[in-house]
Amino acid sequence: MTTPILDLGPQTRILARLAEAVTDEQLPGRTPCPDLAVRNLLGHLLGLSVAFRDAARKDLGETTDTPPNTVVPDIGPGWREELPKALDELADAWRDPAAWTGMTRAGGVDLPGAVAGAVVADELVIHGWDLARATGHPYAPDPEAVTSAHGFLLVATDEGNGPFGPVVPVPAEAPLLDRAVGLSGRDPEWRP
């Protein structure tokens, strides 16, 4: 799978603004991820931002070796400062062309840099959608990141099963974001 270098900065800024708008009262709320409340989704976003930052830097270790489903993530008291910082660092790390070459590791899986870049674009787009839906905020993701996420999900889908669960059928004429959401195993019509 060949992935062009993608500036993740526009999508990370969108995600940071969404997270900033989350109220304390929304933290225990449901999300499209059945096992994650809003607070856990924010914790997952913080963890994946650090892990994929380190994957881009080829700084392999504990952050890149831990499979994402080994623990239910949560946020600490400093998450409102930590998450935007981690998202900025993630975008900066992926601006280095070397991030997209060679091999790296994320979630305990060795993979080519270009594939890791596509995976993180998918994570940012789909979890941005999750967070927006769970908190009732409008969501207009970066179009280039949506294209990358959709391309990754198309390649990673096999016989109706995507990398994150069974595909939810979405009409071919639906917006690209809805088609990506369906490929990720989520219903684009989901509401809390």
Side-chain angles (χ1 to χ4, degrees):
M1 175 171 148
T2 304
T3 303
I5 293 176
L6 169 68
D7 182 4
L8 296 172
Q11 183 60 28
T12 59
R13 285 189 296 277
I14 290 165
L15 202 42
R17 283 192 301 271
L18 274 173
E20 181 182 14
V22 173
T23 66
D24 289 344
E25 293 74 28
Q26 291 174 317
L27 293 176
R30 293 181 50 229
T31 73
C33 307
D35 298 331
L36 301 181
V38 170
R39 68 179 305 112
N40 306 122
L41 178 58
L42 290 163
H44 177 63
L45 284 165
L46 180 56
L48 77 84
S49 295
V50 171
F52 279 96
R53 174 203 66 199
D54 293 349
R57 295 174 178 170
K58 313 293 196 282
D59 183 11
L60 309 182
E62 184 179 347
T63 61
T64 61
D65 289 346
T66 306
N69 57 356
T70 57
V71 65
V72 175
D74 203 351
I75 50 172
W79 76 270
R80 289 190 185 275
E81 295 77 33
E82 293 168 6
L83 181 56
K85 181 178 184 259
L87 287 165
D88 284 346
E89 291 173 353
L90 170 72
D92 286 344
W94 284 96
R95 286 186 182 109
D96 181 351
W100 298 85
T101 63
M103 295 295 290
T104 192
R105 184 177 314 122
V109 177
D110 292 327
L111 64 169
V115 174
V119 171
V120 74
D122 169 67
E123 292 278 338
L124 295 171
V125 167
I126 299 300
H127 287 317
W129 180 87
D130 292 334
L131 186 59
R133 280 300 165 102
T135 59
H137 291 101
Y139 184 52
D142 174 58
E144 290 184 32
V146 174
T147 299
S148 178
H150 183 259
F152 164 73
L153 289 163
L154 272 177
V155 170
T157 298
D158 183 33
E159 296 183 20
N161 288 308
F164 309 107
V167 170
V168 174
V170 176
E173 66 277 2
L176 190 60
L177 177 60
D178 288 358
R179 289 181 277 150
V181 166
L183 288 171
S184 75
R186 292 155 171 82
D187 181 350
E189 300 301 317
W190 186 91
R191 300 280 187 264

